[in-house]
Amino acid sequence: MPEAVQKDEAAAQAPKELEERIRRWSVFQPWLQEDPIPFWKELREHGPVVRSEEFGGFWIFTRLEDIEWAAHHPDIFSSNEPTIPYRTMFRHKRIPIELDGTEHTEWRRTLDAVFSTSFVDHFTPQITEAAAGLVDAIVARGRTELIDEYAFKLPAESFLITFGVGREKLPELLERRDWVQRNWLNATSDEELFDAAAPLHDFIRASVERRRAEGTAGREDVISRLLESTYDGRTPTDDELVNALVDSMMASLDITNAMLGLAFLQLAERPELQARVAGATPDKLPAIVGELARHEPVMSTARVLTQDIERHGITLHKGERVFLSWGMAGLDPDVFENPDEIDFDRPQERVPSFGIGAHRCLGENLARRIFAVALREWHARIPAYRVTEGTSPTHFYSGLRRLGSLDISFG
């Protein structure tokens, strides 16, 4: 089915009246899955603060100015339930994303030291080797389902490299992740959610135990660095290490996968952009990555109010929830000139795609580097490509905005 027809059918499911669309707005609505951007624009045009009554009700900040303000006041906007509705496969609060105050600050200090720029530089040659190998295999076939074969596999291999697990573990990791995804969707209770995630937690726990037995001396990987780290003056417990590592792994796999898939769809549909990327010098790639991440919204999160506040004449009460879309904020016309256009020369000082403030994405530097390597190695071998005729990408907006499939042909 042509993509335009799919979009028209999805939009046709939406309530006819704007007030009803706002009242029923959530990232899980079927009519938002194909293309939520037009619906987000009408939220923003309606007002800077709007309210949905889905999942018990929550507020939505629609403009970057207000999203930034919330991000810079974590004492007012708690992160202890960062999704709407709140579901978790962790038995304890996720480290550090669900922590507030001093506890969050101390964990960020520990983890920031692990995910430093020097750390990313150290592993870039290995990530490049992995990307080159994946693209070489794709070139030999002349066609690829890009999401599974590149946009997911490269972040997965990069995770194994940077965590020091070993790239030979990729089939096991993919098998466990697929099992988790299948069971997560069918879970109806907290216990079933915890059980669904058990294979990933077990995978990380075994990796920690293996590294402890092997020793960490001279190693630069994430697990080794965390085993040698301290949190608030003490050694982290094994349960804390596994918690933080699983949380980092999920972000590493899912966010980077989502960004790569959406970016490649834009590029596949626009040969002039492919040419710009293929001809870009290394110093231009960071801006290209930033602009593609800005243009294609991925991340959103939620906060819980710790006190009553007033914003734009509207009173929001303690305990109420607020939805913040870092990705959609990158399309704010009050901040970005011609936000719907992809402009690789656009200034990058205020791009919110990876979050803002104290809870900004911990692995942003690594995600940006993987993104840049993915573009460079692909376009060095496949400078011209297209969406395969007769196919259409599948889209999802639940949790992360992403693609489920993207069939690419070239040559």
Side-chain angles (χ1 to χ4, degrees):
M1 181 183 295
E3 186 178 0
V5 175
Q6 288 183 326
K7 287 184 177 180
D8 288 344
E9 290 189 356
Q13 300 178 47
K16 301 303 180 185
E17 300 297 326
L18 172 60
E19 294 292 343
E20 183 66 5
R21 290 196 294 274
I22 294 173
R23 192 183 73 81
R24 293 181 56 192
W25 198 95
S26 89
V27 297
F28 296 97
Q29 288 291 7
W31 39 274
L32 287 172
Q33 300 308 302
E34 186 72 25
D35 186 6
I37 293 175
F39 295 100
W40 181 267
K41 288 180 179 178
E42 67 179 11
L43 293 185
R44 186 179 60 233
E45 291 166 1
H46 186 75
V49 181
V50 300
R51 183 171 177 83
S52 169
E53 296 303 333
E54 291 291 304
F55 304 116
F58 58 93
W59 297 99
I60 304 170
F61 285 180
T62 68
R63 300 177 185 175
L64 179 54
E65 177 185 8
D66 297 297
I67 292 172
E68 284 182 326
W69 178 76
H72 291 304
H73 289 84
D75 55 323
I76 300 174
F77 294 84
S78 170
S79 297
N80 66 355
E81 293 188 2
T83 60
I84 299 174
Y86 178 64
R87 301 185 82 200
T88 182
M89 60 183 193
F90 289 71
R91 292 187 179 275
H92 303 284
K93 289 296 180 183
R94 292 163 58 189
I95 299 172
I97 194 171
E98 294 182 359
L99 304 179
D100 292 319
T102 303
E103 190 177 18
H104 174 262
T105 301
E106 291 298 328
W107 271 112
R108 281 296 299 222
R109 183 176 291 116
T110 296
L111 294 168
D112 281 342
V114 172
F115 290 95
S116 64
T117 303
S118 62
F119 162 83
V120 174
D121 291 341
H122 176 80
F123 285 105
T124 296
Q126 295 178 59
I127 295 170
T128 300
E129 179 184 353
L134 290 171
V135 182
D136 285 342
I138 290 168
V139 168
R141 295 193 296 272
R143 178 176 173 178
T144 184
E145 197 297 287
L146 186 132
I147 303 305
D148 280 346
E149 296 181 359
Y150 195 53
F152 179 73
K153 277 191 176 179
L154 179 58
E157 287 212 43
S158 299
F159 154 73
L160 295 172
I161 291 166
T162 56
F163 279 55
V165 177
R167 289 169 61 188
E168 72 278 0
K169 294 286 186 179
L170 181 62
E172 181 183 352
L173 174 62
L174 296 178
E175 179 182 352
R176 289 175 183 249
R177 177 184 177 274
D178 289 344
W179 192 94
V180 169
Q181 284 192 323
R182 289 194 303 271
N183 287 275
W184 167 273
L185 293 173
N186 297 321
T188 59
S189 68
D190 288 349
E191 282 302 319
E192 288 180 356
L193 285 171
F194 300 149
D195 290 343
L200 285 183
H201 288 260
D202 292 345
F203 181 85
I204 291 296
R205 191 175 295 276
S207 299
V208 170
E209 291 172 353
R210 184 165 55 249
R211 179 49 38 78
R212 181 181 281 116
E214 294 170 349
T216 61
R219 295 181 180 269
E220 295 292 328
D221 58 86
V222 172
I223 293 177
S224 296
R225 285 189 169 198
L226 271 183
L227 283 170
E228 295 174 347
S229 71
T230 59
Y231 160 71
D232 197 22
R234 64 170 176 80
T235 302
T237 68
D238 277 7
D239 285 344
E240 289 171 336
L241 289 174
V242 171
N243 183 312
L245 289 165
V246 171
D247 195 47
S248 298
M249 174 185 65
M250 291 167 58
S252 174
L253 299 184
D254 293 337
I255 293 173
T256 315
N257 168 28
M259 287 186 166
L260 282 173
L262 290 165
F264 268 95
L265 175 57
Q266 285 293 325
L267 295 170
E269 295 176 335
R270 301 175 65 173
E272 75 280 7
L273 294 182
Q274 296 174 32
R276 286 284 306 274
V277 176
T281 54
D283 62 304
K284 299 295 184 182
L285 276 175
I288 290 173
V289 166
E291 177 65 355
L292 289 170
R294 179 206 65 82
H295 186 266
E296 292 302 305
V298 169
M299 288 177 57
S300 59
T301 189
R303 298 288 186 263
V304 179
L305 287 167
T306 63
Q307 64 185 60
D308 292 357
I309 62 167
E310 184 174 309
R311 198 70 178 169
H312 299 287
I314 298 174
T315 301
L316 288 68
H317 297 285
K318 179 180 179 179
E320 292 186 320
R321 296 168 299 172
V322 181
F323 179 84
L324 308 173
S325 179
W326 316 111
M328 294 294 183
L331 301 177
D332 189 337
D334 293 337
V335 179
F336 302 98
E337 185 177 357
N338 300 318
D340 295 331
E341 296 181 6
I342 295 177
D343 178 4
F344 291 152
D345 299 316
R346 189 187 301 274
Q348 294 289 307
E349 289 81 6
R350 205 177 170 188
V351 175
S353 308
F354 291 90
I356 301 166
H359 282 272
R360 189 180 183 97
C361 179
L362 179 68
E364 177 180 357
N365 289 335
L366 179 58
R368 284 179 177 269
R369 186 65 56 84
I370 295 170
F371 203 150
V373 169
L375 292 177
R376 184 182 67 224
E377 297 305 310
W378 174 280
H379 288 86
R381 294 161 174 80
I382 310 173
Y385 49 98
R386 61 197 176 278
V387 177
T388 301
E389 185 176 356
T391 70
S392 293
T394 56
H395 298 255
F396 298 95
Y397 187 42
S398 307
L400 292 175
R401 179 170 173 258
R402 59 186 176 86
L403 297 182
S405 64
L406 175 59
D407 204 297
I408 294 291
S409 295
F410 46 89

